[in-house]
Amino acid sequence: AQSVSQHNHHVILSEAASLELGCNYSYGGTVNLFWYVQYPGQHLQLLLKYFSGDPLVKGIKGFEAEFIKSKFSFNLRKPSVQWSDTAEYFCAVSSYSGGGADGLTFGKGTHLIIQP
Amino acid sequence: DADVTQTPRNRITKTGKRIMLECSQTKGHDRMYWYRQDPGLGLRLIYYSFDVKDINKGEISDGYSVSRQAQAKFSLSLESAIPNQTALYFCATSVERQNGELFFGEGSRLTVL
């Protein structure tokens, strides 16, 4: 079974600090990778995704992530965070059977708090 | 209007009661999913359905059942609710034979006393 590991469960940063959230996955085959964000009281929204091609992918709100196949990693980065980035962040990987994707396996999430 | 709609958004119930959470979607997607979210545990898959006649158990299906009444509707039932089923439940959809991206509803918060 696949698994996704997020290294940081709680992160507290000041505004304008740089952010990097770690994500590693266990599946050794072809993967599709995602970062979702959940703002307080809201549902999950897609930040960015990687399917193939350029391993550096850019998402919404200035976020980016780099897929490093040799390290089974897909870390999320942002050069300068804002107070509005306070949220829960989830890394996820596609699960596959013969008929296509079966859904996503999620990490346990990272709770990010940005202090003004 | 939301593409994936869940009802109710909030529900408080008592141990032993039967509860149904409903999900409907206007995205025209084939696949639908039910996840539960618990603090510190992330999202875990309860059930998923590839079409009306195809229902599959996920990681944590015990104590739950589902019904896919139509392509656009997927309901989750707790036949006899217990306190450790207190959680935030999300319905999601995806497109068959694609990359697995999920589109989420706004969540149903269930409290079992």
Side-chain angles (χ1 to χ4, degrees):
Chain A
Q2 295 186 55
S3 65
V4 178
S5 176
Q6 293 184 236
H7 313 303
N8 316 100
H9 299 300
H10 296 277
V11 174
I12 301 175
L13 295 173
S14 298
E15 279 194 311
S18 64
L19 170 71
E20 181 162 2
L21 301 182
C23 173
N24 288 90
Y25 61 93
S26 64
Y27 184 62
T30 300
V31 291
N32 293 328
L33 296 157
F34 305 82
W35 276 96
Y36 280 84
V37 60
Q38 184 180 30
Y39 297 104
Q42 297 188 26
H43 66 293
L44 279 80
Q45 304 170 41
L46 183 68
L47 261 184
L48 49 77
K49 56 192 177 186
Y50 171 79
F51 300 148
S52 63
D54 188 343
L56 183 62
V57 294
K58 295 189 182 300
I60 60 171
K61 303 187 180 186
F63 286 90
E64 64 180 31
E66 184 176 13
F67 170 55
I68 303 179
K69 188 175 181 179
S70 62
K71 295 184 178 181
F72 298 90
S73 70
F74 190 55
N75 292 354
L76 181 70
R77 299 195 293 248
K78 185 171 185 179
S80 177
V81 294
Q82 302 172 312
W83 177 80
S84 58
D85 293 324
T86 294
E88 189 98 21
Y89 292 80
F90 294 95
C91 182
V93 60
S94 288
S95 307
Y96 281 92
S97 67
D102 294 346
L104 298 182
T105 299
F106 286 85
K108 294 183 177 181
T110 296
H111 187 201
L112 175 65
I113 297 175
I114 306 300
Q115 296 177 331
Chain B
D1 289 340
D3 294 324
V4 184
T5 303
Q6 293 182 229
T7 56
R9 296 290 312 281
N10 287 283
R11 182 71 182 270
I12 300 173
T13 191
K14 295 182 179 180
T15 297
K17 294 292 187 180
R18 184 179 188 276
I19 295 298
M20 179 180 286
L21 306 180
E22 298 185 330
C23 177
S24 63
Q25 53 119 343
T26 58
K27 299 186 76 67
H29 289 171
D30 301 305
R31 300 187 170 196
M32 298 186 73
Y33 307 79
W34 276 104
Y35 283 86
R36 77 176 264 177
Q37 182 183 16
D38 298 276
L41 296 179
L43 279 81
R44 293 178 292 167
L45 183 61
I46 305 172
Y47 270 97
Y48 60 105
S49 169
F50 289 174
D51 63 38
V52 175
K53 297 181 180 179
D54 187 352
I55 305 290
N56 304 279
K57 292 183 177 181
E59 178 187 356
I60 54 163
S61 59
D62 288 349
Y64 301 94
S65 63
V66 291
S67 173
R68 184 84 182 264
Q69 301 96 323
Q71 191 218 23
K73 296 184 182 294
F74 192 38
S75 300
L76 176 72
S77 293
L78 289 69
E79 296 301 325
S80 179
I82 56 176
N84 76 2
Q85 291 177 314
T86 293
L88 184 56
Y89 291 85
F90 285 103
C91 177
T93 70
S94 71
V95 181
E96 186 180 1
R97 296 185 182 279
Q98 288 211 359
N99 45 61
E101 180 180 349
L102 294 180
F103 299 84
F104 284 88
E106 296 185 345
S108 297
R109 184 168 296 281
L110 177 65
T111 302
V112 184
L113 302 176

